[in-house]
């Protein structure tokens, strides 16, 4: 029986590496509050987030498909970040993530088999600039340019065979991104709104075992904010994600890659002593259009904390 499972496992690793592009791409998932805050000179913001994501259903176009072998796929991820106001209106942001566990549970000959990896993901660096800011109403428009550097492991193996790209801790590719964030809220009202857009492109991966390029990625979200009480903010967010087709050697398109997904993204932010934020948010897919056959996300949630350090005043 162990020999049969060993052979099936080898077959699955080869098959999944060449046929099915998984939903949970290698490298850091999008974490944090989905905002880009304006920062004054010499101000700090330190953040730490835990994210859990679970995937269990294969989709083709808009329909769920019955695909054998995989019972579920999930990961647990920790992300830390630091933002520093270098000049008035200009800030630098850096973040680093670590996968505590990144796993797929297979059902081979009625026995569960785990494919698992862990380790550091990618190093993210951004330059952020406040284009526009007012006090009445409270508005800000912030732009950013950044890169993700693949510093983590991209060569995890099981039984001498490299595991699928989707389960590697690092993306293996240098990526470049641009983002724009706008928020508006009047101090005399409880309602406000915000919008966020992000575009990311990937460099070609060219290693001894893989020539691969991730498709372009675009995200747009529109949210309404409601201040329930003085220190408690509720956010209802609709988020749209578009992923282009991946390509292999000689520019061959990967048919089972790329998607269009809409998420409902509720958020709760509780503020302590004006400088600490406790954040909870979730991603719940409400619409999926999937190219080819891909394992799709069922849900994810994040729990985090952030701390603002203002150098222009002393806290008591």
């Amino acid at each position: 029986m162990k020999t049969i499972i060993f052979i099936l496992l080898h077959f699955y690793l080869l098959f999944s590496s060449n046929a099915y592009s998984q939903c949970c791409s290698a490298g850091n998932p999008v974490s944090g509050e989905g905002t880009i805050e304006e920062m004054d000179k010499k101000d700090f913001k330190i953040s730490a987030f835990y994210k859990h994501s679970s995937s269990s259903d294969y989709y083709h176009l808009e329909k769920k498909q019955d695909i054998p072998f995989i019972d579920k796929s999930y990961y647990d991820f920790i992300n830390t970040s630091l933002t520093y106001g270098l000049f008035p209106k200009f800030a630098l942001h850096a973040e680093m993530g670590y996968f505590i566990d990144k796993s797929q549970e297979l059902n081979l000959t009625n026995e569960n088999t785990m494919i698992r990896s862990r380790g550091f993901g990618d190093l993210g660096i951004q330059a952020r600039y406040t284009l526009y800011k007012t006090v009445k109403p409270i508005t800000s428009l912030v732009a950013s340019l950044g890169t993700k550097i693949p510093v983590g492991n991209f060569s995890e193996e099981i039984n001498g065979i490299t595991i699928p790209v989707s389960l590697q801790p690092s993306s293996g590719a240098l990526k470049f991104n641009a983002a724009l964030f706008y928020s508006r809220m009047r101090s005399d009202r409880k309602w406000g709104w915000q919008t966020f857009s992000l575009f990311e492109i990937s460099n070609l991966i060219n290693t001894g075992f893989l020539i691969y390029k991730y498709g372009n990625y675009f995200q747009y979200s529109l949210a309404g904010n409601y201040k329930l009480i003085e220190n408690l903010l509720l956010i209802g967010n609709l988020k749209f994600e578009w992923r282009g087709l991946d390509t292999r050697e000689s520019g061959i398109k990967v048919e089972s890659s790329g998607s269009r997904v809409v998420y409902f993204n509720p958020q709760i932010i509780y503020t302590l002593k004006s400088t600490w934020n406790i954040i909870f948010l979730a991603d719940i897919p409400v619409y999926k259009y999937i190219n080819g056959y891909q394992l799709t996300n069922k849900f994810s949630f994040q729990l985090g904390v952030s701390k603002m350090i203002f150098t222009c005043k002393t806290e008591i």
Side-chain angles (χ1 to χ4, degrees), residues 17-18 204-214 246-254:
S17 295
N18 291 281
L204 178 70
I205 302 172
N206 192 347
T207 68
F209 64 91
L210 181 68
I211 297 177
Y212 202 88
K213 186 177 187 299
Y214 302 111
D246 297 349
T247 55
R248 296 188 181 277
E249 62 278 357
S250 303
I252 299 172
K253 300 290 185 181
V254 179

Side-chain angles (χ1 to χ4, degrees), residues 22-237:
Q22 306 297 321
C23 69
C24 306
S25 299
N28 296 10
V30 178
S31 298
E33 301 164 69
T35 63
I36 306 177
E37 292 181 309
E38 31 84 21
M39 302 279 291
D40 290 329
K41 184 178 179 180
K42 294 186 179 180
D43 286 349
F44 282 93
K45 182 179 181 181
I46 303 172
S47 301
F49 283 86
Y50 161 76
K51 181 173 184 176
H52 174 80
S53 178
S54 178
S55 304
S56 59
D57 298 327
Y58 268 92
Y59 267 70
H60 171 59
L61 303 180
E62 297 174 304
K63 294 184 179 180
K64 181 179 175 181
Q65 303 293 316
D66 184 17
I67 302 294
F69 298 140
I70 296 181
D71 283 341
K72 62 181 178 180
S73 178
Y74 58 91
Y75 65 77
D76 296 291
F77 179 76
I78 294 176
N79 184 71
T80 57
S81 67
L82 173 65
T83 309
Y84 177 65
L86 189 62
F87 304 112
K89 298 184 178 183
F90 182 82
L92 294 177
H93 174 85
E95 63 180 57
M96 187 68 187
Y98 183 86
F99 285 96
I100 304 171
D101 188 15
K102 197 172 189 184
S103 303
Q104 281 186 356
E105 184 175 318
L106 313 179
N107 188 352
L108 302 175
T109 65
N110 296 320
E111 291 193 25
N112 290 333
T113 302
M114 296 295 296
I115 302 177
R116 176 171 291 159
S117 67
R118 65 181 63 184
F120 288 102
D122 301 331
L123 171 64
I125 301 174
Q126 287 182 339
R128 300 176 172 181
Y129 185 76
T130 302
L131 300 171
Y132 178 75
K133 178 182 178 181
T134 63
V135 178
K136 293 184 178 181
I138 304 171
T139 64
S140 66
L141 176 64
V142 185
S144 79
L145 291 174
T147 183
K148 290 182 180 178
I149 305 170
V151 298
N153 194 7
F154 189 65
S155 56
E156 290 284 299
E157 296 181 349
I158 294 180
N159 298 321
I161 298 180
T162 303
I163 66 175
V165 171
S166 61
L167 288 178
Q168 298 290 347
S170 172
S171 67
L174 185 66
K175 298 181 180 181
F176 303 94
N177 57 68
L180 197 64
F181 174 75
Y182 176 78
S183 65
R184 178 184 176 93
M185 191 163 191
R186 288 179 52 171
S187 58
D188 60 339
R189 294 185 180 179
K190 293 187 175 183
W191 291 95
W193 65 280
Q194 63 188 44
T195 182
F196 175 75
S197 58
L198 168 72
F199 181 73
E200 183 174 78
I201 60 174
S202 173
N203 201 9
L204 178 70
I205 302 172
N206 192 347
T207 68
F209 64 91
L210 181 68
I211 297 177
Y212 202 88
K213 186 177 187 299
Y214 302 111
N216 296 337
Y217 172 78
F218 175 73
Q219 179 191 136
Y220 177 78
S221 65
L222 179 63
N225 309 333
Y226 181 72
K227 187 179 290 186
L228 186 62
I229 56 177
E230 182 61 29
N231 295 332
L232 185 61
L233 185 66
L234 305 180
I235 300 176
N237 188 28

Side-chain angles (χ1 to χ4, degrees), residues 215-316:
N216 296 337
Y217 172 78
F218 175 73
Q219 179 191 136
Y220 177 78
S221 65
L222 179 63
N225 309 333
Y226 181 72
K227 187 179 290 186
L228 186 62
I229 56 177
E230 182 61 29
N231 295 332
L232 185 61
L233 185 66
L234 305 180
I235 300 176
N237 188 28
L238 277 180
K239 181 169 65 176
F240 169 74
E241 288 188 349
W242 173 86
R243 296 179 186 272
L245 290 174
D246 297 349
T247 55
R248 296 188 181 277
E249 62 278 357
S250 303
I252 299 172
K253 300 290 185 181
V254 179
E255 294 302 323
S256 291
S257 65
S259 61
R260 299 190 292 273
V261 182
V262 178
Y263 295 90
F264 175 56
N265 174 226
Q267 304 178 32
I268 301 173
I269 302 177
Y270 183 73
T271 303
L272 293 171
K273 298 184 178 180
S274 302
T275 61
W276 287 91
N277 281 337
I278 300 174
I279 305 108
F280 173 82
L281 58 93
D283 278 326
I284 305 167
V286 295
Y287 172 78
K288 304 174 186 178
Y289 185 94
I290 307 300
N291 298 327
Y293 294 84
Q294 298 182 58
L295 186 64
T296 63
N297 183 253
K298 186 176 182 180
F299 72 90
S300 67
F301 67 86
Q302 294 182 52
L303 181 63
V305 61
S306 66
K307 165 72 172 177
M308 287 290 297
I309 301 173
F310 301 103
T311 59
C312 61
K313 66 179 182 179
T314 303
E315 292 183 41
I316 300 177

